[in-house]
Amino acid sequence: MAALTLRTAAAASIALVSACASSEPSPSPSPVKSLSELLAASSPSEWRRLDPDNTLYMELPSGRVVIELAPAFAPRAVANVKALVRQEYFDGLAIVRVQDNYVAQWGDPDEKRSLGDAAKTLPPEWTRAATPDLVFDGLPDRDTYAPQTGFSGGFPAARDPASQRAWLVHCYATVGVGRDNADDSGTGAELYAVIGNAPRLLDRNITVVGRVVQGVELLSTLPRGAAALGFYEKPAQRTPIRQVRLERDVPDADRVKIELLRTDSATFRSIIEARRFRRDDWYKVPAGAVDVCNVPLPVRAIQGVR
Amino acid sequence: MAALTLRTAAAASIALVSACASSEPSPSPSPVKSLSELLAASSPSEWRRLDPDNTLYMELPSGRVVIELAPAFAPRAVANVKALVRQEYFDGLAIVRVQDNYVAQWGDPDEKRSLGDAAKTLPPEWTRAATPDLVFDGLPDRDTYAPQTGFSGGFPAARDPASQRAWLVHCYATVGVGRDNADDSGTGAELYAVIGNAPRLLDRNITVVGRVVQGVELLSTLPRGAAALGFYEKPAQRTPIRQVRLERDVPDADRVKIELLRTDSATFRSIIEARRFRRDDWYKVPAGAVDVCNVPLPVRAIQGVR
């Protein structure tokens, strides 16, 4: 039975001990609900579709990477990326850097292409005001890096009550705006996606512009660059970007048919608790906690479509 | 200059604000020492070599994966893995599962090969006693999952003063012993390596047997399996394992010539502080903390050899 190893651990059964957070793991096994059971019991209203005006398709030779943009946290950077996309700035550029356990990064390796109408500098959007209108569904457990962590509109996020600031955090699949040393040097013409352990040290130092919601494995499986910091030594080693398009500009027939579980839904809260107190035939010792980058963000095919 | 983005962030300059931990980031920029500067200033005695009796070479078509075993935490599992290796159990087997942002797993897909002299069951070594002889160099910052985290003999680890138990934690590159539901079902005939965000929920639920110290990218770049949990749908999609050997049984000329920074060294402590209070031309906001899976574990070519 060794080949079954870890199978149960990964997906088949997630323990749901309690819908209420407690600080200690339950001392005895309790009824089990798996992630798939929780999702099967969800209601249609708990799912949301991507906003075509804030979704990018990056077409690689291996397939499509779908990126959800986060205008609530980086309105200017999102607008600039969209301006670049609409003037087809990224088409024919390349993934220039893949550093193991860190990031895949893309843009213009020669830095010669005109940014056209897009801004050449942008003020930092590393954090934003934690205003009352900001949705923030907090996690109960302590985090190494932030006073509070949670989710905001589908994105892993953090908040500091003292400074009244909030920000998106760097988890696997987070997409950010590369910049040089100057605070205002990130325009969105160079972007990166996290492909390794959550590099939380980047939080509040760079503008997070969204996250990959489908196809991140097309980036994480790319050959690592052998030059410093994972840059490729030879141009031929780079992965070409066929094109990047805003979903709004893609014919409906060519759009992805996915929906995402709302992070302010009851089912999502149940998933968080099932992770914190995971106990099933395989899991013997529930962690009693979960960090913001270890909560699954479910995506599925739109129900009833095709 | 956009193509330089994140370059400094990743390697060129790490701020060293203070050798003493404080709970808040320094309010003003301070002298900078980069990781490479810290390493260049290290003394030879701060580095250690691999123990040939506790180092595995897994030879894949793409190259060699070097795994350091952890007998201090899993003596019986390590002994069993070594027994399997010495009877050439893994030769010709395969990597059977690669799940994105989780693990790569290898063993006998048909579960038919004899374990020979190796044990068919093993008692769990999920934790061990935190006895006084156990080296444990603690980190000062809070962790979501464990009362204390730190390093023990080069491995990321955790400790619970209440229960007086210690364990190795699941970071990127951690290697564990796959098991089925039964506590004693993990023999070492099936192993996995973490290739994504630290799956800390696995801690204390499975026997950690070591970590990949070179070549983890040969695993993390493998195509993801399309079947449930990342198993491959077709046998031809699996990556064959040419052989696994104990370093002791490999001629010296064929051994890797690497050394590892001791995690109980002053230089390693400086690296931890440099991470916690990272501030340089690129980093503007030091995190003021670092978690056990985000501390680099430096490896270099043995100085003066070849």
Side-chain angles (χ1 to χ4, degrees), chain B residues 40-110:
Chain B
S42 65
S43 70
S45 65
E46 293 184 306
W47 297 79
R48 64 186 176 89
R49 299 199 182 182
L50 292 165
D51 173 1
D53 290 315
N54 285 299
T55 300
L56 299 181
Y57 294 172
M58 178 164 65
E59 309 290 351
L60 303 178
S62 56
R64 175 180 285 175
V65 178
V66 181
I67 297 169
E68 182 176 26
L69 299 171
F73 282 83
R76 298 185 67 160
V78 165
N80 219 46
V81 168
K82 287 163 66 173
L84 289 165
V85 166
R86 284 200 146 153
Q87 63 198 37
E88 304 183 355
Y89 172 81
F90 292 99
D91 299 10
L93 294 183
I95 298 170
V96 296
R97 171 195 184 190
V98 183
Q99 183 172 356
D100 192 60
N101 192 24
Y102 197 44
V103 296
Q105 189 171 327
W106 58 95
D108 179 7
D110 303 316

Side-chain angles (χ1 to χ4, degrees), chain A residues 240-291:
Chain A
I241 297 171
R242 289 184 173 165
Q243 62 174 28
V244 179
R245 289 290 178 272
L246 193 65
E247 187 177 65
R248 171 67 67 199
D249 300 330
V250 172
D252 187 65
D254 293 337
R255 294 185 186 179
V256 295
K257 304 298 186 297
I258 58 174
E259 56 188 7
L260 299 89
L261 186 67
R262 297 181 64 96
T263 51
D264 59 357
S265 66
T267 293
F268 188 70
R269 287 192 291 278
S270 296
I271 289 170
I272 290 170
E273 289 311 299
R275 283 265 150 170
R276 298 177 70 232
F277 294 96
R278 194 167 182 167
R279 186 195 286 278
D280 53 37
D281 290 341
W282 194 91
Y283 269 89
K284 314 294 179 172
V285 184
V290 70
D291 78 274

Side-chain angles (χ1 to χ4, degrees), chain A residues 1-2 5 7 100 111 142-146 178-181 190 197-198 205 220 229 282 284-285 291, chain B residues 1-2 5 7 100 111 142-146 172 178-181 190 197-198 205 220 229 282 284-285 291:
Chain A
M1 297 294 282
T5 304
R7 289 188 190 192
D100 192 60
E111 303 178 64
R142 63 186 181 183
D143 179 80
T144 300
Y145 298 96
R179 67 166 171 85
D180 203 353
N181 288 341
E190 188 150 14
N197 189 56
N205 278 282
S220 56
L229 306 179
W282 194 91
K284 314 294 179 172
V285 184
D291 78 274
Chain B
M1 296 293 281
T5 304
R7 288 188 191 194
D100 192 60
E111 303 180 64
R142 63 185 182 185
D143 178 80
T144 300
Y145 298 96
Y172 191 85
R179 67 165 171 86
D180 201 354
N181 288 342
E190 189 150 13
N197 189 57
N205 277 282
S220 56
L229 307 179
W282 195 90
K284 314 294 178 172
V285 183
D291 77 275

Side-chain angles (χ1 to χ4, degrees), chain B residues 135-177:
Chain B
V135 174
F136 190 90
D137 300 293
L139 286 168
D141 303 308
R142 63 185 182 185
D143 178 80
T144 300
Y145 298 96
Q148 297 177 351
T149 57
F151 299 88
S152 183
F155 294 93
R159 192 168 63 173
D160 180 3
S163 65
Q164 288 291 302
R165 304 297 293 179
W167 58 94
L168 298 185
V169 302
H170 282 79
C171 296
Y172 191 85
T174 290
V175 175
V177 171

Side-chain angles (χ1 to χ4, degrees), chain A:
Chain A
M1 297 294 282
L4 290 170
T5 304
L6 270 175
R7 289 188 190 192
T8 320
S13 40
I14 293 176
L16 178 67
V17 167
S18 166
C20 305
S22 108
S23 62
E24 288 299 318
S26 167
S28 61
S30 297
V32 167
K33 278 200 183 177
S34 71
L35 177 58
S36 55
E37 285 170 337
L38 289 169
L39 295 180
S42 65
S43 70
S45 65
E46 294 185 305
W47 296 81
R48 65 187 176 88
R49 298 200 182 183
L50 292 164
D51 174 1
D53 290 315
N54 285 299
T55 301
L56 299 181
Y57 293 171
M58 178 163 66
E59 309 288 353
L60 303 178
S62 56
R64 175 180 285 175
V65 178
V66 181
I67 298 168
E68 181 175 28
L69 298 170
F73 282 82
R76 297 186 67 159
V78 166
N80 219 46
V81 168
K82 288 163 65 174
L84 290 165
V85 166
R86 285 199 145 152
Q87 65 198 38
E88 303 182 357
Y89 172 82
F90 291 100
D91 299 9
L93 294 182
I95 297 170
V96 296
R97 170 194 184 191
V98 183
Q99 184 172 355
D100 192 60
N101 193 22
Y102 197 42
V103 296
Q105 187 171 328
W106 58 94
D108 179 8
D110 303 316
E111 303 178 64
K112 288 180 178 169
R113 191 169 291 196
S114 167
L115 300 191
D117 295 337
K120 314 297 181 290
T121 59
L122 280 180
E125 294 172 302
W126 306 344
T127 64
R128 57 154 283 171
T131 47
D133 63 300
L134 180 70
V135 174
F136 190 90
D137 301 292
L139 284 169
D141 303 309
R142 63 186 181 183
D143 179 80
T144 300
Y145 298 96
Q148 297 177 351
T149 57
F151 298 88
S152 184
F155 294 93
R159 190 168 65 174
D160 180 2
S163 65
Q164 287 290 304
R165 303 297 294 180
W167 59 94
L168 298 185
V169 301
H170 282 79
C171 297
Y172 191 84
T174 291
V175 175
V177 171
R179 67 166 171 85
D180 203 353
N181 288 341
D183 290 6
D184 65 355
S185 57
T187 63
E190 188 150 14
L191 297 169
Y192 63 90
V194 172
I195 59 161
N197 189 56
R200 297 284 307 279
L201 295 174
L202 291 172
D203 293 356
R204 298 181 293 151
N205 278 282
I206 198 162
T207 300
V208 172
V209 79
R211 57 183 294 272
V212 177
V213 294
Q214 185 174 289
V216 69
E217 72 281 2
L218 303 181
L219 300 173
S220 56
T221 56
L222 288 173
R224 281 37 175 161
L229 306 179
F231 282 88
Y232 291 110
E233 292 178 314
K234 300 171 184 174
Q237 296 169 322
R238 298 171 187 147
T239 298
I241 297 171
R242 289 184 173 165
Q243 62 174 28
V244 179
R245 289 290 178 272
L246 193 65
E247 187 177 65
R248 171 67 67 199
D249 300 330
V250 172
D252 187 65
D254 293 337
R255 294 185 186 179
V256 295
K257 304 298 186 297
I258 58 174
E259 56 188 7
L260 299 89
L261 186 67
R262 297 181 64 96
T263 51
D264 59 357
S265 66
T267 293
F268 188 70
R269 287 192 291 278
S270 296
I271 289 170
I272 290 170
E273 289 311 299
R275 283 265 150 170
R276 298 177 70 232
F277 294 96
R278 194 167 182 167
R279 186 195 286 278
D280 53 37
D281 290 341
W282 194 91
Y283 269 89
K284 314 294 179 172
V285 184
V290 70
D291 78 274
V292 66
C293 291
N294 267 325
V295 177
L297 295 168
V299 177
R300 68 177 183 186
I302 293 176
Q303 302 298 290
V305 173
R306 258 156 290 243

